[in-house]
């Protein structure tokens, strides 16, 4: 898998998040893939479990890339500004919608699918100046 192919897959993940397309998101993952979201949480293992995870609307954040992708071997790192609709997920913002920075690391398998994704949210970066506003899905 080339650098460009991995970066394109991460871009497709981002677009699927923006459009709340859980099916498109799950399609990017391999059969035995794992998601650790947030880091330290029990991993979500297997395509069926990942599909179920993304089928819950609160588990899809609105993501806006804020920096370049970093590629090393079969790994891609990217930093996002994430609009979270339910602060209870991370125990912040009093359960209201909020924005924070997050880094996600994607590892790809030999078939070009995501084998593992780890989300590293920066809960101290919650943007309280938005007064609960989560950016629009069309924001870039």
């Amino acid at each position: 898998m080339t650098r460009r192919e991995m970066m394109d897959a991460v871009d497709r993940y981002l677009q699927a998040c923006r459009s709340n397309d859980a099916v498109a998101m799950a399609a990017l993952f391999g059969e035995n893939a794992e998601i650790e979201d947030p880091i330290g949480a029990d991993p979500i293992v297997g395509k069926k479990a990942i599909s179920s995870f993304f089928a819950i609307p609160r588990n899809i954040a609105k993501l806006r890339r804020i920096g370049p992708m970093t590629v090393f071997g079969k790994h891609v790192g990217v930093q996002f500004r994430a609009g979270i609709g339910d602060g209870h997920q991370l125990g912040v913002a009093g359960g209201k919608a909020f924005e924070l920075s997050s880094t996600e690391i994607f590892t790809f398998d030999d078939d070009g699918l995501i084998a593992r994704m780890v989300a590293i949210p920066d809960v101290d970066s919650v943007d309280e100046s938005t007064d609960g506003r989560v950016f629009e899905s069309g924001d870039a």
Side-chain angles (χ1 to χ4, degrees), residues 10-11 24 31 33 54 75 82 103 105 109 111 113 117 128 134:
V10 171
D11 279 336
E31 280 303 315
F54 287 135
H75 311 280
T103 300
I105 309 296
D109 64 20
D111 295 322
L113 297 171
M117 188 274 283
E128 296 177 16
V134 176

Side-chain angles (χ1 to χ4, degrees), residues 13-21 25 37 53-54 56-64 80-86 89-90 98-100 102 104 119 134-135 137:
Y13 175 82
L14 172 63
Q15 184 57 42
C17 288
R18 284 183 176 163
S19 61
N20 290 322
D21 190 341
M25 290 173 71
D37 187 4
F53 175 76
F54 287 135
I56 301 169
R58 72 181 178 97
N59 289 336
I60 300 179
K62 301 286 189 184
L63 302 179
R64 176 172 41 100
F80 295 102
R81 195 71 185 153
I84 310 291
D86 179 2
Q89 286 175 274
L90 299 174
F98 64 97
E99 292 179 21
L100 57 71
S102 183
E104 294 189 12
V134 176
F135 59 83
S137 61

Side-chain angles (χ1 to χ4, degrees), residues 79-126:
Q79 191 169 41
F80 295 102
R81 195 71 185 153
I84 310 291
D86 179 2
H88 292 293
Q89 286 175 274
L90 299 174
V92 296
K96 297 178 182 175
F98 64 97
E99 292 179 21
L100 57 71
S101 296
S102 183
T103 300
E104 294 189 12
I105 309 296
F106 297 85
T107 302
F108 288 86
D109 64 20
D110 292 333
D111 295 322
L113 297 171
I114 299 167
R116 180 166 171 76
M117 188 274 283
V118 177
I120 308 168
D122 183 357
V123 295
D124 290 332
S125 72
V126 171

